[in-house]
Amino acid sequence: MPAPANPRIAVLGFSIECNKFAPPATKAHFAARTYLEGEAILDEARRPTPTMLPETPGFVAAMDAAAPWTPIGVVLAMSEPNGPVEHGFFEEVVHAMTGRLKAAMPVDGVYFCAHGAAITTEEDDPEGVMFERIRDIVGPDVPVVATFDLHANVSDRMVDNIDAFIGYRTNPHLDMRERGEEAAAVLGELLAGTRTERVRIRLPIVPPTVTLLTAAGPYAEMIELGQSKMNPAIMNVSVMGGFAYADTAKNGLSVVVTARGDRNAAASLAAEIAQYGWEQRARFYPKLTSLEDAVQKALAAARDPSLKPLAFADVADNPGGGGRGNTMYLLRAFVEAGVKGALFGVIYDPPLAAEAHRHGLHYNFDARFNREETTKFSEPWTAPARVAALHDGNCVGRRGIYAGTRLALGPCAALAIGGITIVVVSHRVQCADPIFFEMMGLDIGMARAVVVKSRGHFRGGFDEFFGPGQIVEVDLPGLTSPMLNRFEWTRLPRPVIPLDDNVSWRPPAL
């Protein structure tokens, strides 16, 4: 059947990755990143440098280019990864979302920008709750298309209440805008009458974050297998690595296939990809470098200019996974060992940044880190420092996941401590873009060592400086440590790889 002329499409979303072990996410965290209602969503999505992640701008631009449509902004709430969302605020978002959607009825279609790894202080499947509420409002025949981060933890309720499931295919997430554009194309097809079948298979594998890169490795191969099997019956193949630190019953590596009306095709392909993943299970174990070895590598790079410079990833304190971005283990070790020619970023410490701004440039003082932080692992530490640079923190991302995104990091300071320069920020963010150093006047190309508080997204931003062989992932304590046996799990399905021995699996009957 022909698609409706000038279709009314609701645009909404709720996107946050939640680490159960981190402090709760509040309304203020969303307000600091992106919280929009109504027409403000469309206005922001169409700006050259929006504050929101690229899926929604990609969707809106593709819809604008395709044909006349009537977009209806509902609610879009996004936050940097954090702890569980305060349930009262989640209910506030759901109330606003359902109220605005009801008022906008009838609609011809719905686009939802999700993350997929949210939890609240009371609910382990908030996306499922939202999709169910949306379906109740729009009815069974209105197509609902959703995009997801590839770290989504997928439930049946999520899959059953939407018509198309579209997950990222790259990690670092460099295809966010493309997935939004894909959602627009898929929605156009659904508006023209295509009906879908979705099949999800979850494996008893909860992959550590460092095993989920898509340049190479078992996860990359699963994604590549799915893409190689695309055919007219298959609309989308999404392989979701999941996010261990949510600690929910729906955790686990999942394959979601959306087919054009052919459930057998979806089931067969999902089973083939899942079987391949299971055969690769021995490869989903992390391999990290000890702190002692990391220090020696940094010292060697500083001493010998013939060696290539190195990037050290503090993967255990990744703000992109709910880490606080302020543990001192690596910085303290580098300072005590006398490492020279190093850049370190970014440390989340608003009081320290504010103090540096009060003192002004070139002031020497005792920098007290984590004076107000009470989170486990974020221990206080003091060192003599000089204020090397100051900045208001307003910038536009240059490369990787933040490219073209307008960011507000709050008052920032570069502090020189021995042979190391540390960038301190006031709004918590992972160090995934060179702009965080460059806006402070720091030359990454001249550094012998660059330390980033990031798990993997820095690879998409710093690849012009560091190839894969120049990256050192350091084994440290922290809220996002890939060593999953260091956490106390309460809701994770067990037994699972890599936590347990003698894990078995057989393909389910679909």
Side-chain angles (χ1 to χ4, degrees), residues 228-251:
S228 73
K229 299 291 184 176
M230 293 295 291
N231 62 68
I234 303 300
M235 180 177 280
N236 179 274
V237 178
S238 294
V239 183
M240 300 287 97
F243 185 65
Y245 313 106
D247 189 22
T248 71
K250 61 177 183 170
N251 273 79

Side-chain angles (χ1 to χ4, degrees), residues 223-277:
I223 292 174
E224 290 166 5
L225 175 60
Q227 294 309 301
S228 73
K229 299 291 184 176
M230 293 295 291
N231 62 68
I234 303 300
M235 180 177 280
N236 179 274
V237 178
S238 294
V239 183
M240 300 287 97
F243 185 65
Y245 313 106
D247 189 22
T248 71
K250 61 177 183 170
N251 273 79
L253 180 58
S254 293
V255 180
V256 184
V257 177
T258 303
R260 294 178 173 90
D262 189 341
R263 186 168 184 81
N264 289 335
S268 175
L269 181 52
E272 181 180 354
I273 300 168
Q275 180 63 44
Y276 181 83

Side-chain angles (χ1 to χ4, degrees), residues 177-240:
R177 187 177 181 90
E178 287 80 0
R179 299 289 72 77
E181 293 169 350
E182 179 183 352
V186 165
L187 184 57
E189 189 175 337
L190 298 179
L191 290 170
T194 298
R195 292 294 175 258
T196 64
E197 294 284 345
R198 284 89 52 218
V199 171
R200 176 188 65 85
I201 297 178
R202 183 168 59 234
L203 290 166
I205 300 173
V206 177
T209 51
V210 293
T211 67
L212 291 174
L213 296 174
T214 54
Y219 182 59
E221 292 162 14
M222 292 178 71
I223 292 174
E224 290 166 5
L225 175 60
Q227 294 309 301
S228 73
K229 299 291 184 176
M230 293 295 291
N231 62 68
I234 303 300
M235 180 177 280
N236 179 274
V237 178
S238 294
V239 183
M240 300 287 97

Side-chain angles (χ1 to χ4, degrees), residues 289-355:
T289 298
S290 70
L291 177 59
E292 294 75 15
D293 287 348
V295 169
Q296 292 306 311
K297 288 177 181 291
L299 288 170
R303 285 193 300 261
D304 187 350
S306 69
L307 296 176
K308 290 184 177 181
L310 299 174
F312 295 85
D314 187 351
V315 295
D317 189 33
N318 170 31
R324 301 300 291 163
N326 56 17
T327 63
M328 294 287 105
Y329 304 106
L330 197 52
L331 175 57
R332 184 171 59 208
F334 274 27
V335 169
E336 291 175 353
V339 172
K340 305 292 184 183
L343 300 179
F344 200 109
V346 289
I347 296 289
Y348 169 64
D349 198 324
L352 182 55
E355 182 180 3

Side-chain angles (χ1 to χ4, degrees), residues 15 29 112 120 205 287 351 409:
S15 180
H29 291 110
F112 194 106
T120 82
I205 300 173
K287 297 177 182 179
L409 307 186

